[in-house]
């Protein structure tokens, strides 16, 4: 079983990728790593253990999705999530649960959620 720190990092991993939806670019990212983490905390248990999805998780996913409307914001969210999970072991099951969060939360994203995503290529 993963620790709560590991679970938080796994939860963050998933949500970052679907927050990278097309939007008008601007010069600087306005979404902070603190906002990313706070939005995804309710997803930790689900990504770490499966089971029932807390409605607060989807609220956080949708909030983050709505906040990340520019390319710099989406890239920043991606980088924040990658930093959060750096060095934390995860299983294919955890990664699969994280990858499925956007669909479970009614968010449609046109890319794969994965720790190997190149944040610089996120538009």
């Amino acid at each position: 079983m993963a620790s709560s720190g590991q679970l938080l990092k796994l939860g963050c991993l998933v949500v970052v990728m679907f927050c990278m939806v097309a939007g008008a670019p601007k010069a600087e990212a306005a979404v902070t790593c603190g906002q990313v983490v706070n939005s995804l905390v309710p997803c930790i248990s689900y990504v770490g253990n499966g089971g029932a999805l807390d409605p607060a998780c989807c609220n956080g996913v949708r909030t983050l999705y709505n906040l990340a409307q520019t390319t710099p914001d989406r890239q920043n969210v991606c980088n924040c999530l990658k930093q959060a999970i750096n060095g934390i072991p995860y299983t294919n099951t955890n990664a699969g649960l994280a990858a499925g969060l956007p669909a479970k939360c009614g968010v449609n994203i046109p890319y794969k959620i994965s720790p190997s995503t190149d944040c610089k290529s996120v538009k």
Side-chain angles (χ1 to χ4, degrees), residues 12-57:
C12 291
L13 165 68
V14 174
V15 180
V16 71
M17 302 310 181
F18 61 83
C19 294
M20 303 178 231
V21 181
K26 65 180 184 181
E28 295 181 16
V31 179
T32 67
C33 288
Q35 289 172 301
V36 172
V37 171
N38 288 335
S39 294
L40 301 178
V41 164
C43 302
I44 294 169
S45 179
Y46 174 76
V47 171
N49 304 311
L53 183 60
D54 184 342
C57 172

Side-chain angles (χ1 to χ4, degrees), residues 78-92:
C78 179
N79 285 315
C80 289
L81 291 174
K82 289 184 85 163
Q83 288 174 13
I85 63 162
N86 186 30
I88 300 299
Y90 57 89
T91 66
N92 287 338

